[in-house]
Amino acid sequence: MDAADNEVASRKRRRLDPEEETGPYILRTLIDNVPLTGEGESDKPEISCVEVWEGNLYVGTSAAEILHFVLIPSDPDDASASPTPILASRLQPPHAASAAKEQRQAGIQQIIVLPKVNKACILCNGTLTFYSLPELSPAFGTTKVRNCNGIGGIDLDLHDRGTDGGDGEHMMISFKDRIQLVRVGESEKPRSIKNIDYPGSLLFVRRGPIACVATSHSYALLDVDHQQKIPLFSISSLNELSSGSIAGQVEDVPSSSSRPISKIASSVPSAPATGPAGPPGHGRSTSLGALVGALGMRQQSPRPPGEDQSSLGNTGGPRDASPGPSVSPSRPSPRPAGHDSRAASPEKPLPLPPPERSDEPANSPAPTRPQQAPNLKPHILSPRSNEFLLTTGTAYAEAGVGMFVNADGDVFRSTLQFERYPEALVIDGRGLDARPTESTPNDDLEGYVLAVMRGAKDGDGRRGLEIQRWDVDAGEDAGKKSWMDVLPRPAPSDGSEGGVMAGVGPSDLGIRQLCAYNEVAIREVGERLSLFRLRLSGNGGPESPSGSIDSSDSRTKASLEQVSKEIELFESRDSAESGGTPEPQQPPLPRGWEAKRRREEDQFARSFGTLRTRIVVWSGDRISWMVRNPMAIRLDAALASAGELPLDRRKVVQVLNSVRGQEPRTEAEFLSLGYIRQKASLLLFTSLVRAMAQGIQIPQEDRKATEEALVEGGLDPRVILATLPTLREEVVEGRMGIWIHGGIKAVAEEFLESAGSADDSEGSTTLSEDLLRLLQSYLSAWRRKKGFGSVADEVEVFRTVDAALLRVLLHLDALSPPSVAPAASFRVELYALVDQGVDCFDRAIDLLEESGRLYVLSRLYQSRKMSSKVLQTWRRILEGPPDEDGEFADGELEVRKYLSKIRQPETVQSYGTWLANRNSKLGVQVFADEKSRVRFEPAQVIQILRRGAPDAVKEYLEHLVFAKQNTQYTNDLIAHYLDTVLSVLESSESARLTLIRSYETYRALHPPRPSYRHFISDNATGEEWWGNRLRLLQLLGGTHGVATEYDVAAVLGRIEPFEQELVPEMIILDGRQGRHAQALRLLTHGLGDFDTAINYCLLGGSSIYRPGTGPIAKEAIPTREEQASLFGHLLSEFLRIEDADERVEQTGNLLERFGGWYDVQQVLSVIPDSWSIELIAPFLISAFRRIVHERNETMVAKALSGSENLMLRVSFIDECEKVGPAIEAAE
């Protein structure tokens, strides 16, 4: 960014942000250039006191004039504008000019408004006059009271509770030697109620019957009803109490009508916790002047029985008008807010006077106690019921002390320390533990003391305001002091006000608490909190919050509305030309919608910028409101103090920590806290981006703090992403655009402008891994907010979040090294993102296609249950280049599993056929899986496979025949095997030679040799036809009920041309046809598989090539007679073996092992005579043993039968004897 750009950004920041004001209060102008000087006057007077009541401003001057201004409300559509003051009249109350000159009194001393009776009491140069409100017309005729020292003493308890005494307003008037209690009615003339002999009083504040009174030297508590007092302490610690007075002891006030009382506190009623102590109209001017004068004129007024028979301003006799002690011009006494007092011990001692200051120069002489103490101005404030705040000190240039006194005269609470003795004092706020009242707002919790003093901060002699808390202990953090320097300074170069009071004299500063609260509009609050549209496309240019549509100038407002409508029109055209697809369900936005929303946002935000205050400050010819600093302005100023380039990130984090965990009490605080958190998070993030773009290494704790700020702030993530060129294209603005707070919009636009003017370097377009990790965590946190009703524009927001997060995870996964474990890599989070579904579905497809992440794309389709798209994508992966990332390693198996889960028959058929072409075994499982949601009939599957995947037909038929024992398809499978094998034998001479040579090789093996079935299985060539032949042999010779179902004649007819090559097949078929002699001949001479020939005789010819495992059905085993017949054929074939040695060996082995099936005589008849008897000796021995064994068994059986016969005979004889003879009669 060049210098010109920096200047533009600086001017924008000055337009959008007020002067940095981090203290608890700010000043806002009420009226400027007060016409203090009349026509033809040369000397410029000063403002001495101020009062505001129901839109009327009353300004008293040192020239004894009252300036009455009417505050004309601003345009109702512009609530942030200040009211316009119009001078209505200039009034000069009657007073004694000569006395004023002699007593050095300062014009208008006090203005007290009595709202309940619509009267104003004005003390001018010692003369009290009464006027009607609001026009200040004279009231009560020519009634006036002369020689007054001061007025006030309105009951603050009645004001705090919102009640009245029922018979007008009661106030107190101070004279040289007494205090007079007066009742002022609305129409009835003021009349005296009681006179109290109390000479020298200057100031009083009353709570019920108890008044705290100050003279020029000391303070005391006064019981107005019983006329007793408790002396307290001196105003100046250099003074001693008057002789005869003991601090804290009850004394009677001299009076003819005084009554004794044991304790003043006993007459004080118990009052509930109240709000601020400022009564309507009670206050002291900041210029008291010489308040001691002579007695006023006498006016008799009737009084009820029991009251003093005295007149207003008169005690019954003439009094001399000798002046009392004069005091220097002073500032107003305020009406503070308070809460319940704390319990205090009556025996608690008074604090010691403040020590001498130790900051004197080392070479200065030691201070000595003066003979005459300086006349310090007394200050009495009442923060709560039965509590009074008093000040004491040594000199205006020395430190002052504020002490809290209860109604018993006991000092309690922690004392307040002032850097200098205050010239004026105001208390504000009702305290943390107080309850609101009708006269106090609910948000004035914190209690503050505002003191006017000279040079307390810099020692330069200029006046300012020292502000501190009164409702907390001095050791607490909240008790820290702050300084407001209300001094002249050069006007800003851009002409803005900046909250500074220009042209103020160094000696003219006053402060006052008003009779009631007034509303003050703070425009800056609305400018910060109001929502503005952030434009990323650049249409229409940046929109400044200060250029609000709700402008007070009608021409400006119309121009801004016209510009807004043109912007909307261009945006709609751009959307149509760019191929945007508007939502069909949403109607088009009405013309002027943006201007209307801006007005609504301004109106809503301005409502939070309207604050209540009852404090005014004046200096020179300007009067300003003293307003509680709104949270938005105060914390925003703290953020501004962190600077811009470079940003002091530590200060921003401190601001965030200060509001962390803070619960808002009002809606304004809720918005302000959200605004500050969002702006701070944006500042931290843009600072982080700038630093990373410049290659600056950011500490881990800074990145963590930025991440936490982004998550806690809740700023629209589209604003964050818009600051990154790489991710800016993922931002979805929507039809309504992005609306954010004005203060945040200024920061975002400034960053976007600086980023746009910067060179397009690698650092500005490439995201570092650290930044990507931060974004991944931040966007993941935002995704967890889905479904929250508090998210504005959630459709556009979450479309943006999902697209950006997907892009970030793709970058991080690409940066992850291959050695990272899958569970610890970003790939797991990437999969989880797409599996859970994304709102930016179309954009996600484009991103995944561009990055070539087809497997992730397939998972995205799965999240939407788009099965055809999933399978289509998997097909692209399997048919495309090799998957180097290994994401789809078992792709074909995944396809098979997925096809069993979907319910679309067409999709299953299509991709099942495709898979069967690639992997017939897996493809057949698709159609054969009984748990699949789509089932096909076997006949239908065979047709599908024959059309689409012919090579998979065999796999499916094998599944049906062997796995499912479906004999219906045995012939089909046999036919398929025969087609494969015979086609090869017909076309390949080498295949035929291979078979023939396999027989020769097998016959050449030396015994013991394996069966031919094992031999060909162990020496398989790996060719398809060879495997099919093995399955064919198994199928033809099986014994599981399958082999008996095929057409033997048809099979035999097809293989007869190749009977020399397909010897095992011919053996099985001969056995099936009962041609056992032929089958045994082929086994013996064609193959030389003697063991199989023996098994043939034992198990039957159909089981020659059955599987080697599993039980054999009993009905499949031949009978012993059939076996003996087969063994007879086998012996004949063994005797014809060409090799003599092998003939003798195999015949001898056969006779020895299976001699039981042979008859000895038959064997001897077929054995060649040339054979030695030794060759068949084992057989003969076994046969003879068998014969002997059989003979012995026969003899034993015969003997057993004889014994059994003998036993039966004996049993018969015994039975006959038992029965006896029977005589039968002759017929």
Side-chain angles (χ1 to χ4, degrees), residues 810 842-854 857 861 873 876:
L810 288 173
D842 294 336
R843 178 56 182 165
I845 294 175
D846 295 338
L847 289 175
L848 294 174
E849 289 282 4
E850 292 173 2
S851 59
R853 302 300 295 272
L854 296 182
L857 176 61
Y861 287 134
T873 307
R876 291 172 57 191

Side-chain angles (χ1 to χ4, degrees), residues 810-828:
L810 288 173
H811 281 294
L812 287 172
D813 186 50
L815 295 174
S816 299
S819 59
V820 177
S825 66
F826 292 100
R827 185 167 298 177
V828 176

Side-chain angles (χ1 to χ4, degrees), residues 992-1018:
R992 295 194 296 269
L993 293 175
T994 299
L995 290 176
I996 295 173
R997 290 172 181 172
S998 67
Y999 305 144
E1000 296 174 353
T1001 303
Y1002 180 74
R1003 289 194 298 267
L1005 295 176
H1006 296 283
R1009 67 183 68 164
S1011 65
Y1012 183 73
R1013 179 178 67 83
H1014 288 95
F1015 174 77
I1016 60 175
S1017 298
D1018 295 339

Side-chain angles (χ1 to χ4, degrees), residues 27-39:
L27 293 174
R28 289 298 177 265
T29 301
L30 171 60
I31 180 174
D32 201 2
N33 299 321
V34 177
L36 300 174
T37 304
E39 296 182 0

Side-chain angles (χ1 to χ4, degrees), residues 892-955:
E892 293 178 349
L893 181 59
E894 291 295 328
V895 172
R896 205 278 303 170
K897 292 180 180 178
Y898 188 74
L899 287 174
S900 66
K901 299 176 182 178
I902 62 177
R903 299 179 182 272
Q904 293 80 18
E906 298 81 5
T907 304
V908 174
Q909 177 179 334
S910 174
Y911 285 95
T913 306
W914 169 78
L915 181 60
N917 270 320
R918 290 182 56 89
N919 189 326
S920 58
K921 185 175 182 179
L922 289 176
V924 166
Q925 291 179 12
V926 174
F927 298 100
D929 189 358
E930 294 182 352
K931 297 181 180 179
S932 176
R933 297 185 177 183
V934 178
R935 302 292 300 276
F936 295 93
E937 293 297 329
Q940 183 182 1
V941 175
I942 293 174
Q943 294 178 2
I944 292 172
L945 294 178
R946 282 177 177 171
R947 290 194 306 265
D951 295 338
V953 174
K954 180 199 70 170
E955 294 286 346

